[in-house]
Every structure is written in C-alpha cells, then in structure tokens.
Amino acid sequence: MIVEDDAELRYLTAALLEDEQMDTIQCGSAEAALATLLIGRRQVAMIFADVRLRGVMDGIYLAREGKMRWPLLRVILTSGRPLERVGELPPAAVRCAMVLLKMALHTEQIEE
C-alpha cells in the first residue's frame, strides 16, 4: 500500500514497485489507507507512506495505528526531512530509520 498525497509521486512509486512484480494499492491520505485496511478486501503486506500527509492523520499516526491493529504489518515511512519526528516512531522503526540515514550520509560522502 502506497500512501502519498502527491499524486505524481504516488503513481511513480507504484510504477516502480509494480515493475518489481508487486501489487499495489494507492491511497492519497492516511484516512483512506486506514479505511482500506479496515475493510480488508485485499491483504496488505506493507505500507509505504510519507510522514507528512494532508488530512487529520499523518504517516506516523497511520504507522502506529497499523502496527497496533496488525503487528506483523511492515511499515516504511519516508520524509524529505531526515530525522523528522523520529522520536515518535516505535523503537524498531527508529533503528531502521537510523540505519537508512547512516547509509544515506555514507552515500553522500562517497559522491563528494
């Protein structure tokens, strides 16, 4: 499931995942994503969401709600701002975010 309020970015992400033979569900808001999950017509293995989303709920709220209801659900949150609201993520998510940040910083150093 791809949750992104920027339609162009959402379609691009879906195209990339579909190129890797993954089925995708696209949602423009966290509210739409949670409603889709609650209806449960399609099984969702992973949420790929932006931290900042239009609407009442954001990606972090969606991640917390999803993990509370479906503990085995994988959640990947993205942000254009490194470390944005990292303190609000569950401990496992923080470890993952820190690894990704270290990888990104390492890649930037190599490119320089």
Side-chain angles (χ1 to χ4, degrees), residues 81-94:
R81 300 174 185 208
L83 299 180
E84 180 179 24
R85 299 178 58 197
V86 167
E88 298 176 47
L89 297 172
V94 173

Side-chain angles (χ1 to χ4, degrees), residues 33-109:
L34 185 57
T36 300
L37 289 167
L38 289 170
I39 290 169
R41 291 196 181 129
R42 290 180 61 190
Q43 196 168 28
V44 175
M46 174 184 74
I47 295 175
F48 185 92
D50 192 358
V51 169
R52 292 181 176 212
L53 296 166
R54 292 185 191 112
V56 176
M57 292 172 50
D58 63 10
I60 291 176
Y61 184 90
L62 176 63
R64 272 199 238 114
E65 192 70 23
K67 292 300 280 182
M68 181 181 71
R69 293 172 184 264
W70 302 278
L72 299 179
L73 182 66
R74 304 271 186 199
V75 179
I76 299 172
L77 293 176
T78 64
S79 176
R81 300 174 185 208
L83 299 180
E84 180 179 24
R85 299 178 58 197
V86 167
E88 298 176 47
L89 297 172
V94 173
R95 284 195 303 273
C96 179
M98 295 307 290
V99 169
L100 291 174
L101 177 63
K102 287 178 185 176
M103 288 171 57
L105 290 173
H106 181 69
T107 301
E108 285 178 14
Q109 290 171 352

Side-chain angles (χ1 to χ4, degrees), residues 22-39:
M22 295 178 162
D23 292 330
T24 63
I25 301 170
Q26 298 179 43
C27 297
S29 70
E31 291 85 356
L34 185 57
T36 300
L37 289 167
L38 289 170
I39 290 169

